[in-house]
């Protein structure tokens, strides 16, 4: 429910302000100044093609600039620190030369462990399935895998502004359909995640513990 709420509330607020601002002004004339909404432009005056950080004052320009304000620091942090944190055998060492223990999973690791690492490795680098599976088991992914992932993330984010956000801006019906799709997607993915937490994850842990006990029992015999 939390995931659904945090993904649904912002687009619902934007939908209400964009398509029902007259009703809001009539209900609270002294509280909300929404006279600027009718003058909002989706693309900059120079056109839909522009560099990140330019075209400010438009929906697309501001949205892309805000995305890259997150994108650049995140890529730097992941490349220098984040990629190493969940590794089974970390590159960062203690003073005595032993590696630090695995710590803090990331969205990147969680996503590519679902099989995306196999696809990236095969399509981009010709990496064998066995090597990719070993990387997934040890959370030991290559920097180039992360860069391909973030390149795809960036392209998808920018294209979503040009395709989905623009449709929301020009069509009330399209805006409603996209919100309905968002509700379905968040509910479906959230239920799969909770199912994993409540069944598969604990089942895997129990089976591993039983395997360890059986191995120790076999050694004592």
């Amino acid at each position: 429910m939390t995931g659904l709420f945090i993904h649904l509330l912002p687009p619902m607020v934007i939908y209400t302000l964009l398509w029902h601002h007259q009703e809001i002004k009539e209900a609270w004339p002294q509280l909300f100044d929404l006279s600027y909404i009718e003058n909002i432009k989706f693309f900059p005056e120079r056109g839909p093609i522009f560099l990140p950080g330019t075209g400010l004052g438009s929906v697309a320009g501001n949205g892309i600039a805000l995305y890259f304000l997150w994108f650049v620091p995140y890529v730097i942090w992941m490349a220098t620190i984040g990629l190493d944190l969940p590794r089974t055998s970390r590159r960062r060492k203690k003073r005595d030369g032993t590696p630090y223990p695995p710590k803090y999973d990331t969205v990147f690791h969680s996503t590519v462990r679902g099989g995306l690492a196999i696809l990236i490795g095969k399509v981009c680098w010709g990496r064998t399935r066995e090597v990719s599976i070993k990387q997934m088991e040890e959370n030991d992914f290559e920097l180039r895998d992360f860069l391909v992932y973030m390149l795809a993330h960036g392209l998808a984010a920018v294209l979503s502004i040009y395709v989905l956000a623009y449709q929301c801006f020009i069509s009330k019906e399209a805006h409603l359909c996209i919100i309905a799709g968002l509700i379905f997607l968040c509910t479906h993915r959230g239920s799969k995640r909770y199912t994993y937490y409540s069944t598969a994850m604990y089942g895997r842990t129990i089976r591993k513990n039983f395997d360890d006990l059986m191995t120790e029992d076999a050694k004592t015999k």
Side-chain angles (χ1 to χ4, degrees):
M1 287 301 295
T2 302
L4 177 62
F5 177 78
I6 63 175
H7 285 90
L8 181 61
L9 183 61
M12 284 299 298
V13 171
I14 296 300
Y15 172 86
T16 304
L17 292 175
L18 181 60
W19 299 109
H20 297 280
H21 57 275
Q22 291 293 346
E23 293 93 322
I24 295 174
K25 287 195 295 185
E26 291 172 4
W28 298 284
Q30 305 300 324
L31 188 59
F32 295 100
D33 180 14
L34 302 177
S35 57
Y36 64 90
I37 287 187
E38 295 178 356
N39 298 320
I40 293 177
K41 293 181 173 58
F42 191 87
F43 292 116
E45 293 183 358
R46 67 189 68 178
I49 307 301
F50 54 91
L51 294 174
T54 63
L56 299 179
S58 65
V59 175
N62 291 350
I64 291 175
L66 183 62
Y67 173 77
F68 277 94
L69 282 175
W70 165 84
F71 182 92
V72 174
Y74 177 74
V75 169
I76 294 173
W77 179 82
M78 281 292 294
T80 56
I81 300 173
L83 278 176
D84 186 53
L85 289 177
R87 282 187 177 121
T88 302
S89 179
R90 292 187 60 185
R91 310 284 170 79
R92 187 184 177 196
K93 309 294 183 183
K94 298 179 182 179
R95 290 184 179 181
D96 60 4
T98 59
Y100 279 90
K103 189 176 185 180
Y104 302 134
D105 200 8
T106 73
V107 172
F108 164 73
H109 289 82
S110 176
T111 301
V112 296
R113 277 199 309 267
L116 187 57
I118 298 174
L119 178 63
I120 293 175
K122 179 181 179 180
V123 174
C124 298
W125 325 121
R127 189 169 61 214
T128 64
R129 179 183 178 87
E130 291 72 20
V131 171
S132 294
I133 291 176
K134 187 173 186 296
Q135 290 178 341
M136 291 162 59
E137 291 172 347
E138 298 177 352
N139 273 329
D140 192 5
F141 301 106
E142 301 176 53
L143 176 61
R144 60 183 182 174
D145 292 339
F146 171 69
L147 295 179
V148 168
Y149 170 86
M150 290 308 299
L151 176 62
H153 192 288
L155 289 174
V158 173
L159 284 175
S160 71
I161 292 175
Y162 278 81
V163 178
L164 299 179
Y166 184 61
Q167 292 303 314
C168 292
F169 186 78
I170 64 174
S171 170
K172 179 179 179 180
E173 291 74 18
H175 203 158
L176 275 175
C177 288
I178 290 172
I179 289 176
L182 179 65
I183 293 173
F184 171 80
L185 183 63
C186 290
T187 304
H188 176 66
R189 291 176 65 90
S191 62
K192 287 180 63 177
R193 176 57 60 177
Y194 288 127
T195 300
Y196 167 76
Y197 284 144
S198 59
T199 58
M201 185 177 70
Y202 290 112
R204 186 181 305 167
T205 302
I206 292 171
R207 286 193 296 271
K208 183 179 182 303
N209 290 333
F210 271 114
D211 288 340
D212 294 340
L213 289 173
M214 292 177 68
T215 301
E216 292 179 4
D217 185 61
K219 289 179 180 179
T220 57
K221 293 181 179 179

mmCIF file of all heavy atoms in Angstrom, residues 20-35:
data_model
loop_
_atom_site.group_PDB
_atom_site.id
_atom_site.type_symbol
_atom_site.label_atom_id
_atom_site.label_comp_id
_atom_site.label_asym_id
_atom_site.label_seq_id
_atom_site.Cartn_x
_atom_site.Cartn_y
_atom_site.Cartn_z
ATOM 1 N N HIS A 20 -8.603 20.409 -13.243
ATOM 2 C CA HIS A 20 -9.699 20.901 -12.400
ATOM 3 C C HIS A 20 -9.294 22.173 -11.646
ATOM 4 O O HIS A 20 -9.779 22.423 -10.544
ATOM 5 C CB HIS A 20 -10.145 19.820 -11.406
ATOM 6 C CG HIS A 20 -10.702 18.594 -12.069
ATOM 7 N ND1 HIS A 20 -11.996 18.526 -12.547
ATOM 8 C CD2 HIS A 20 -10.137 17.391 -12.353
ATOM 9 C CE1 HIS A 20 -12.196 17.332 -13.096
ATOM 10 N NE2 HIS A 20 -11.091 16.632 -12.986
ATOM 11 N N HIS A 21 -8.405 22.958 -12.248
ATOM 12 C CA HIS A 21 -7.954 24.166 -11.534
ATOM 13 C C HIS A 21 -9.064 25.217 -11.419
ATOM 14 O O HIS A 21 -9.084 26.004 -10.464
ATOM 15 C CB HIS A 21 -6.729 24.776 -12.224
ATOM 16 C CG HIS A 21 -6.932 25.119 -13.659
ATOM 17 N ND1 HIS A 21 -6.774 24.197 -14.670
ATOM 18 C CD2 HIS A 21 -7.292 26.280 -14.265
ATOM 19 C CE1 HIS A 21 -6.993 24.776 -15.831
ATOM 20 N NE2 HIS A 21 -7.328 26.037 -15.617
ATOM 21 N N GLN A 22 -10.017 25.227 -12.366
ATOM 22 C CA GLN A 22 -11.120 26.186 -12.260
ATOM 23 C C GLN A 22 -11.998 25.875 -11.046
ATOM 24 O O GLN A 22 -12.393 26.792 -10.313
ATOM 25 C CB GLN A 22 -11.967 26.152 -13.546
ATOM 26 C CG GLN A 22 -11.269 26.706 -14.774
ATOM 27 C CD GLN A 22 -11.018 28.200 -14.664
ATOM 28 O OE1 GLN A 22 -11.577 28.885 -13.804
ATOM 29 N NE2 GLN A 22 -10.149 28.710 -15.526
ATOM 30 N N GLU A 23 -12.279 24.583 -10.832
ATOM 31 C CA GLU A 23 -13.072 24.191 -9.672
ATOM 32 C C GLU A 23 -12.350 24.509 -8.363
ATOM 33 O O GLU A 23 -12.972 24.921 -7.379
ATOM 34 C CB GLU A 23 -13.396 22.696 -9.724
ATOM 35 C CG GLU A 23 -14.327 22.302 -10.862
ATOM 36 C CD GLU A 23 -13.580 21.876 -12.097
ATOM 37 O OE1 GLU A 23 -12.535 22.489 -12.403
ATOM 38 O OE2 GLU A 23 -14.040 20.929 -12.762
ATOM 39 N N ILE A 24 -11.031 24.334 -8.370
ATOM 40 C CA ILE A 24 -10.247 24.637 -7.164
ATOM 41 C C ILE A 24 -10.302 26.138 -6.867
ATOM 42 O O ILE A 24 -10.487 26.549 -5.709
ATOM 43 C CB ILE A 24 -8.792 24.168 -7.345
ATOM 44 C CG1 ILE A 24 -8.735 22.642 -7.458
ATOM 45 C CG2 ILE A 24 -7.918 24.638 -6.169
ATOM 46 C CD1 ILE A 24 -7.364 22.099 -7.781
ATOM 47 N N LYS A 25 -10.159 26.956 -7.914
ATOM 48 C CA LYS A 25 -10.213 28.412 -7.714
ATOM 49 C C LYS A 25 -11.584 28.867 -7.228
ATOM 50 O O LYS A 25 -11.694 29.777 -6.397
ATOM 51 C CB LYS A 25 -9.852 29.127 -9.022
ATOM 52 C CG LYS A 25 -8.374 29.064 -9.370
ATOM 53 C CD LYS A 25 -8.002 30.061 -10.453
ATOM 54 C CE LYS A 25 -8.677 29.732 -11.755
ATOM 55 N NZ LYS A 25 -8.207 30.659 -12.844
ATOM 56 N N GLU A 26 -12.624 28.226 -7.749
ATOM 57 C CA GLU A 26 -13.981 28.594 -7.323
ATOM 58 C C GLU A 26 -14.237 28.165 -5.879
ATOM 59 O O GLU A 26 -14.932 28.873 -5.129
ATOM 60 C CB GLU A 26 -15.010 27.935 -8.248
ATOM 61 C CG GLU A 26 -15.003 28.512 -9.662
ATOM 62 C CD GLU A 26 -15.884 27.722 -10.604
ATOM 63 O OE1 GLU A 26 -16.549 26.777 -10.117
ATOM 64 O OE2 GLU A 26 -15.910 28.037 -11.812
ATOM 65 N N ALA A 27 -13.683 27.032 -5.469
ATOM 66 C CA ALA A 27 -13.907 26.544 -4.109
ATOM 67 C C ALA A 27 -13.085 27.314 -3.086
ATOM 68 O O ALA A 27 -13.545 27.581 -1.971
ATOM 69 C CB ALA A 27 -13.571 25.057 -4.029
ATOM 70 N N TRP A 28 -11.833 27.671 -3.454
ATOM 71 C CA TRP A 28 -10.941 28.395 -2.535
ATOM 72 C C TRP A 28 -10.299 29.576 -3.261
ATOM 73 O O TRP A 28 -9.094 29.566 -3.564
ATOM 74 C CB TRP A 28 -9.850 27.461 -2.016
ATOM 75 C CG TRP A 28 -10.359 26.303 -1.218
ATOM 76 C CD1 TRP A 28 -10.805 26.325 0.069
ATOM 77 C CD2 TRP A 28 -10.490 24.937 -1.648
ATOM 78 N NE1 TRP A 28 -11.195 25.082 0.466
ATOM 79 C CE2 TRP A 28 -11.012 24.194 -0.555
ATOM 80 C CE3 TRP A 28 -10.212 24.256 -2.835
ATOM 81 C CZ2 TRP A 28 -11.266 22.835 -0.644
ATOM 82 C CZ3 TRP A 28 -10.465 22.906 -2.922
ATOM 83 C CH2 TRP A 28 -10.979 22.202 -1.838
ATOM 84 N N PRO A 29 -11.078 30.613 -3.536
ATOM 85 C CA PRO A 29 -10.564 31.735 -4.341
ATOM 86 C C PRO A 29 -9.428 32.502 -3.674
ATOM 87 O O PRO A 29 -8.603 33.097 -4.362
ATOM 88 C CB PRO A 29 -11.805 32.621 -4.541
ATOM 89 C CG PRO A 29 -12.706 32.266 -3.396
ATOM 90 C CD PRO A 29 -12.475 30.812 -3.128
ATOM 91 N N GLN A 30 -9.378 32.512 -2.359
ATOM 92 C CA GLN A 30 -8.348 33.265 -1.658
ATOM 93 C C GLN A 30 -7.135 32.416 -1.278
ATOM 94 O O GLN A 30 -6.135 32.950 -0.790
ATOM 95 C CB GLN A 30 -8.939 33.884 -0.374
ATOM 96 C CG GLN A 30 -10.160 34.735 -0.603
ATOM 97 C CD GLN A 30 -9.879 35.909 -1.526
ATOM 98 O OE1 GLN A 30 -8.801 36.489 -1.490
ATOM 99 N NE2 GLN A 30 -10.867 36.252 -2.346
ATOM 100 N N LEU A 31 -7.220 31.116 -1.508
ATOM 101 C CA LEU A 31 -6.171 30.224 -1.027
ATOM 102 C C LEU A 31 -5.196 29.817 -2.121
ATOM 103 O O LEU A 31 -3.988 29.769 -1.901
ATOM 104 C CB LEU A 31 -6.808 28.968 -0.414
ATOM 105 C CG LEU A 31 -5.869 28.009 0.312
ATOM 106 C CD1 LEU A 31 -5.153 28.720 1.459
ATOM 107 C CD2 LEU A 31 -6.641 26.798 0.837
ATOM 108 N N PHE A 32 -5.693 29.540 -3.318
ATOM 109 C CA PHE A 32 -4.841 29.063 -4.404
ATOM 110 C C PHE A 32 -4.806 30.074 -5.545
ATOM 111 O O PHE A 32 -5.857 30.495 -6.035
ATOM 112 C CB PHE A 32 -5.337 27.715 -4.948
ATOM 113 C CG PHE A 32 -5.257 26.592 -3.950
ATOM 114 C CD1 PHE A 32 -6.383 26.181 -3.252
ATOM 115 C CD2 PHE A 32 -4.050 25.947 -3.701
ATOM 116 C CE1 PHE A 32 -6.319 25.143 -2.340
ATOM 117 C CE2 PHE A 32 -3.974 24.915 -2.788
ATOM 118 C CZ PHE A 32 -5.107 24.515 -2.098
ATOM 119 N N ASP A 33 -3.614 30.457 -5.957
ATOM 120 C CA ASP A 33 -3.441 31.293 -7.137
ATOM 121 C C ASP A 33 -2.971 30.390 -8.275
ATOM 122 O O ASP A 33 -1.785 30.072 -8.392
ATOM 123 C CB ASP A 33 -2.413 32.396 -6.865
ATOM 124 C CG ASP A 33 -2.208 33.292 -8.085
ATOM 125 O OD1 ASP A 33 -3.038 33.219 -9.020
ATOM 126 O OD2 ASP A 33 -1.212 34.036 -8.112
ATOM 127 N N LEU A 34 -3.898 29.976 -9.118
ATOM 128 C CA LEU A 34 -3.591 29.040 -10.200
ATOM 129 C C LEU A 34 -3.737 29.697 -11.570
ATOM 130 O O LEU A 34 -3.918 29.013 -12.581
ATOM 131 C CB LEU A 34 -4.517 27.822 -10.110
ATOM 132 C CG LEU A 34 -4.458 27.043 -8.786
ATOM 133 C CD1 LEU A 34 -5.480 25.907 -8.791
ATOM 134 C CD2 LEU A 34 -3.062 26.496 -8.549
ATOM 135 N N SER A 35 -3.630 31.014 -11.603
ATOM 136 C CA SER A 35 -3.798 31.723 -12.877
ATOM 137 C C SER A 35 -2.698 31.392 -13.885
ATOM 138 O O SER A 35 -2.884 31.556 -15.085
ATOM 139 C CB SER A 35 -3.824 33.235 -12.634
ATOM 140 O OG SER A 35 -2.630 33.647 -11.966
#
